[in-house]
Amino acid sequence: MNDHPTRKTLPRLDESLLTHLPPFSRLEKRQIRTILDQATSRRYEAGVAVFREGHPADRFYMLLDGYVRVVRITATGEQVTALHIPAGQLLGIARAIGRDTYPATAMTATESIVLSWPTRLWDTFVAEYDGFATETYKTVGHRVGEMNTRIVELATQQVEQRVANALLRLINQTGRKVEGGIEIDFPITRHDLSELTATTLHTVSRLLSGWEKRGLVLSKRKRITVCDPHALVVLGQG
DNA sequence: ACATTAATTATGT
DNA sequence: ACATAATTAATGT
């Protein structure tokens, strides 16, 4: 068995991979071409690190397929998930916030396809590609905003409201419509949810069981479907 | 109002 | 069969 990402001989990358993604959507075909020619494509198994907190930020990444958790390691060594990133977004963009080491660890939540470029290209990307800078700063802005509201929630809200809101965010960003509701599109355990909301897996388990009896959610192991988002919104307000 | 501990059951390889 | 996930009850702060 082997637990590290498989290094694959590159399939030629099609330009359509990037053309519809916000940071690149304003670019000409030949610009996309040169960007792709400088990119490295790589597939990761679920649950492996793309990069690690504190390490030199020598590359930045575009998640083409899959989901990754942005995870921070606490002093006692346990992981705390800061946020989830869906396909189509940049990650590891330490350079955008003026850092030369990664501020957090990125773990794949599912099998994932990732493009990456050496960080030294960041400045030329920003300078030469129209819309790249504005779009990426938009996403970092969105992410800090989200972490901000999470902090406020942790300080002010009770557990039930926190996990309700965490669930709502998850289905908004990584939700997939299925019959009977919206399912979180990657495997997520009660323990994961408890990390997101700073509680215990037991409390999360009880809450989910309760909500399931009331028909708000549906869950099997590692799978959670929200059937009644509005009811969760109500719960989330306290 | 919540965590912790522990015992029990379910589920996926 | 085995490990991991989830539930449930009891007890603690």
Side-chain angles (χ1 to χ4, degrees):
Chain A
M1 261 322 215
N2 119 28
D3 55 347
H4 40 266
T6 37
R7 158 71 73 183
K8 275 256 174 194
T9 43
L10 308 180
R12 315 161 264 313
L13 302 169
D14 193 275
E15 289 139 37
S16 64
L17 288 176
L18 294 186
T19 44
H20 61 289
L21 300 179
F24 305 105
S25 53
R26 297 231 195 95
L27 303 182
E28 316 268 329
K29 248 179 289 172
R30 45 159 282 273
Q31 292 178 301
I32 303 257
R33 191 66 257 161
T34 66
I35 288 176
L36 282 172
D37 288 343
Q38 299 174 97
T40 301
S41 166
R42 200 158 160 180
R43 189 184 69 89
Y44 292 86
E45 306 290 334
V48 304
V50 179
F51 52 82
R52 289 191 177 277
E53 176 174 352
H55 287 195
D58 46 354
R59 305 188 74 84
F60 63 99
Y61 303 82
M62 164 59 76
L63 183 61
L64 284 185
D65 190 33
Y67 294 91
V68 320
R69 303 182 221 278
V70 174
V71 156
R72 299 223 42 193
I73 313 295
T74 68
T76 51
E78 55 239 294
Q79 297 187 351
V80 174
T81 303
L83 59 108
H84 291 83
I85 297 183
Q89 295 205 156
L90 293 166
L91 64 149
I93 49 182
R95 207 47 232 288
I97 54 175
R99 296 192 43 148
D100 53 355
T101 61
Y102 297 116
T105 296
M107 301 276 292
T108 54
T110 64
E111 178 179 336
S112 299
I113 310 284
V114 179
L115 291 186
S116 72
W117 298 266
T119 298
R120 59 175 165 79
L121 293 181
W122 178 266
D123 292 314
T124 68
F125 273 41
V126 167
E128 291 181 16
Y129 299 130
D130 182 35
F132 181 81
T134 57
E135 283 300 327
T136 61
Y137 285 112
K138 211 181 285 181
T139 69
V140 300
H142 181 258
R143 284 182 202 171
V144 308
E146 185 181 320
M147 294 197 281
N148 226 355
T149 64
R150 279 223 314 139
I151 292 173
V152 172
E153 285 180 10
L154 288 182
T156 61
Q157 300 183 333
Q158 324 223 96
V159 173
E160 185 176 39
Q161 292 138 35
R162 298 208 300 266
V163 315
N165 287 321
L167 261 185
L168 286 171
R169 268 195 297 279
L170 284 170
I171 65 166
N172 276 334
Q173 290 150 24
T174 71
R176 180 175 51 107
K177 287 123 212 132
V178 296
E179 89 275 17
I182 305 168
E183 183 183 64
I184 296 172
D185 201 19
F186 53 85
I188 185 164
T189 65
R190 325 274 137 150
H191 181 247
D192 292 331
L193 253 181
S194 71
E195 283 181 347
L196 275 172
T197 53
T199 178
T200 62
L201 71 153
H202 310 267
T203 301
V204 171
S205 180
R206 287 191 203 93
L207 287 170
L208 284 178
S209 305
W211 293 344
E212 180 142 18
K213 273 169 197 158
R214 294 198 265 153
L216 303 193
V217 303
L218 216 72
S219 67
K220 348 178 203 225
R221 123 182 311 226
K222 293 200 186 188
R223 288 283 161 190
I224 302 176
T225 310
V226 174
C227 310
D228 191 348
H230 183 256
L232 276 186
V233 172
V234 174
L235 276 181
Q237 307 310 312

